Amino acid sequence: MRRILRVLFLSLLLTCPACQRGRMFRSRFTMNVRCPVCGIVFERGAGEFSGGMAINTVATSSVAVTGAALAFFTDMPVWPLIAVLTLLSIVFAIWFYRHARALWAGILYLTGSIRED
Ligand SMILES: [Zn+2]
């Protein structure tokens, strides 16, 4: 259990889950193909980034659900709330993009899909 939490935490920090030192991204939106320290491949298949996109979608949707709860349980005006939540969802999805892809890479590492060659 501690290993799982450690790998997921390292992934959220954009750090290689295998060597715990290499950076997973070389720029804001570009993931390294291989870890610059240990050389493992972060996403082996062409479609493996879709898992990260799914994580990002669920996390961003939780922002919208929180907003819906605010609208339902409080007396906040709806249209300003919708505008703020729309902006917040867009900013959150862009900010969380790298973390979602890294988290998916960490899950792939935990399941053995990413391994040291
Ligand atoms: Zn590494």
Side-chain angles (χ1 to χ4, degrees):
M1 186 64 181
R2 289 184 59 184
R3 178 179 178 264
I4 293 171
L5 292 176
R6 182 178 50 81
V7 165
L8 295 178
F9 181 71
L10 286 170
S11 298
L12 282 174
L13 294 177
L14 310 177
T15 303
C16 173
C19 68
Q20 304 174 19
R21 291 183 297 159
R23 302 299 304 163
M24 296 175 100
F25 280 80
R26 65 174 167 247
S27 68
R28 181 74 185 110
F29 295 106
T30 306
M31 184 178 225
N32 288 324
V33 175
R34 292 182 170 273
C35 174
V37 176
C38 68
I40 68 165
V41 178
F42 291 126
E43 292 178 336
R44 290 190 178 269
E48 286 186 358
F49 73 93
S50 59
M53 300 300 277
I55 291 172
N56 202 6
T57 301
V58 169
T60 303
S61 297
S62 68
V63 172
V65 168
T66 302
L70 279 175
F72 188 75
F73 293 112
T74 66
D75 292 334
M76 294 179 79
V78 173
W79 288 110
L81 184 61
I82 288 173
V84 168
L85 284 173
T86 301
L87 183 64
L88 186 64
S89 296
I90 292 170
V91 170
F92 179 82
I94 293 170
W95 172 78
F96 196 64
Y97 170 79
R98 293 192 309 171
H99 301 280
R101 283 187 67 185
L103 193 58
W104 182 246
I107 291 170
L108 291 175
Y109 178 75
L110 286 171
T111 61
S113 296
I114 295 176
R115 60 196 171 282
E116 298 162 38
D117 292 327

